[in-house]
Amino acid sequence: MSVAMKEQAMGVSIMRGDSAAAGRDSARLVSTERCRPQRVLVIDDHELTQAGLRAVLGRESWVASCLGAASIESAWNVALRHHPQIILLSTSVQGRPGLELCRALLERMPYIKVMLMCSDGSVPASLAQASGAVGILPKQSTVAGIVAAVRHVAEGGRVFPKASVATDPARLSSRELDVLRHLVSGLSNPEVAARLNLSRHTVKQHASVVYRKLGVRNRAEAASRAQVLGLVS
C-alpha cells in the first residue's frame, strides 16, 4: 500500500474516531441537559443512612444540593424553605408511616417527586403509586443503583420493582383487617375473639392468614409491617 493510501486510510480512521468521540460527547451533553440541577431531600431518622445517601448523591454533578431531615417536623421545615424537587422518604420516620407523610407532602407541594426507601418488597408498588410516589428505592441497593434510580426520576421517569413479594393490603379481607388491628393494639387472641364475637379458633386462623399474606412470622413483625403499609395509625 502506498504512503498516500496509508495516510488516507489513517485519515478515515481518525475521522471516524473523531466522529465517534463527538457522538459520545454529544450524548453526554444531551444527558446532562435532560437532567437539570436537582435539589434533593433525604428524610430518614437513621443518621448513618441519611449521611450515606447525602454523601453519595451530593457528589453528582446534576445534584445542586442534597439536604437531610431526621424528623417529620424537620422535613417540613426543610421542604418549605428549600423547595426540593426530589424527596427520598423512608417508609417509617419516628415510628410514623412514610406513606402518610408522602401524601401530606404532595398535597402541599404537588410538584415534588417522592421516592420511597424501604426494605425489598416491604411496600407494594400499587400502594406506593396510590400514595403519589414515583419510585421505590430498596435500601439494599448498590451505590450505582441508587444514583441511577434517582437520576432516572430526575429525568422524568418512574422506578418500581418488576415484582414484589409484599402483599397488596387490598387482599386482606375486612375481617382479617379487623383482627390485625386488634392484635396490633395489644389485645390477646381471647380478647380479640370476645371483641369481634368470634371463637378463639377462628381468630387464630385469621391471624395465621394475615401473617402469611403480610409475609411475617409473629405479632411484632405484623405490627411493624402494618404500620409501614398504613394499615394502622
Side-chain angles (χ1 to χ4, degrees), residues 15-218:
M15 285 191 294
R16 285 177 178 170
D18 289 345
S19 177
R24 288 192 296 270
D25 291 342
S26 176
R28 281 195 292 267
L29 180 59
V30 170
S31 179
T32 300
E33 289 178 345
R34 284 177 59 192
C35 187
R36 297 181 178 180
Q38 302 287 305
R39 294 182 299 278
V40 181
L41 170 59
V42 179
I43 304 175
D44 197 304
D45 53 12
H46 290 86
E47 292 185 8
L48 187 59
T49 299
Q50 184 191 133
L53 286 169
R54 293 182 65 187
V56 167
L57 295 172
R59 66 192 183 198
E60 295 298 315
S61 60
W62 49 272
V63 176
S65 62
C66 192
L67 307 167
S71 67
I72 293 177
E73 181 181 1
S74 176
W76 276 111
N77 290 336
V78 175
L80 293 173
R81 181 177 181 181
H82 297 279
H83 303 284
Q85 289 136 308
I86 298 176
I87 291 181
L88 306 186
L89 173 62
S90 175
T91 50
S92 179
V93 181
Q94 293 184 311
R96 294 185 60 182
L99 290 170
E100 180 182 299
L101 180 56
C102 176
R103 290 188 288 266
L105 285 167
L106 288 169
E107 184 176 342
R108 183 74 177 270
M109 296 173 284
Y111 56 85
I112 62 175
K113 299 172 182 178
V114 179
M115 298 183 72
L116 293 171
M117 301 185 294
C118 63
S119 300
D120 281 332
S122 64
V123 174
S126 59
L127 184 59
Q129 292 180 75
S131 298
V134 297
I136 290 178
L137 187 64
K139 290 187 175 181
Q140 298 88 343
S141 299
T142 62
V143 169
I146 291 172
V147 172
V150 178
R151 177 155 188 161
H152 185 63
V153 166
E155 293 175 346
R158 290 172 173 262
V159 181
F160 291 101
K162 293 181 180 179
S164 175
V165 299
T167 298
D168 189 326
R171 287 183 54 194
L172 291 179
S173 69
S174 59
R175 178 61 76 192
E176 289 164 355
L177 283 171
D178 285 339
V179 170
L180 171 63
R181 288 164 180 158
H182 281 87
L183 290 175
V184 169
S185 71
L187 297 181
S188 64
N189 283 3
E191 290 172 328
V192 174
R195 188 72 60 90
L196 298 178
N197 195 27
L198 299 171
S199 70
R200 297 183 182 184
H201 178 68
T202 299
V203 169
K204 186 176 181 180
Q205 284 185 319
H206 280 311
S208 296
V209 172
V210 168
Y211 292 169
R212 176 174 55 79
K213 286 186 176 182
L214 293 181
V216 299
R217 295 170 296 181
N218 52 51

Side-chain angles (χ1 to χ4, degrees), residues 214-229:
L214 293 181
V216 299
R217 295 170 296 181
N218 52 51
R219 184 178 304 208
E221 290 182 0
S224 177
R225 180 62 58 82
Q227 187 178 60
V228 167
L229 296 177

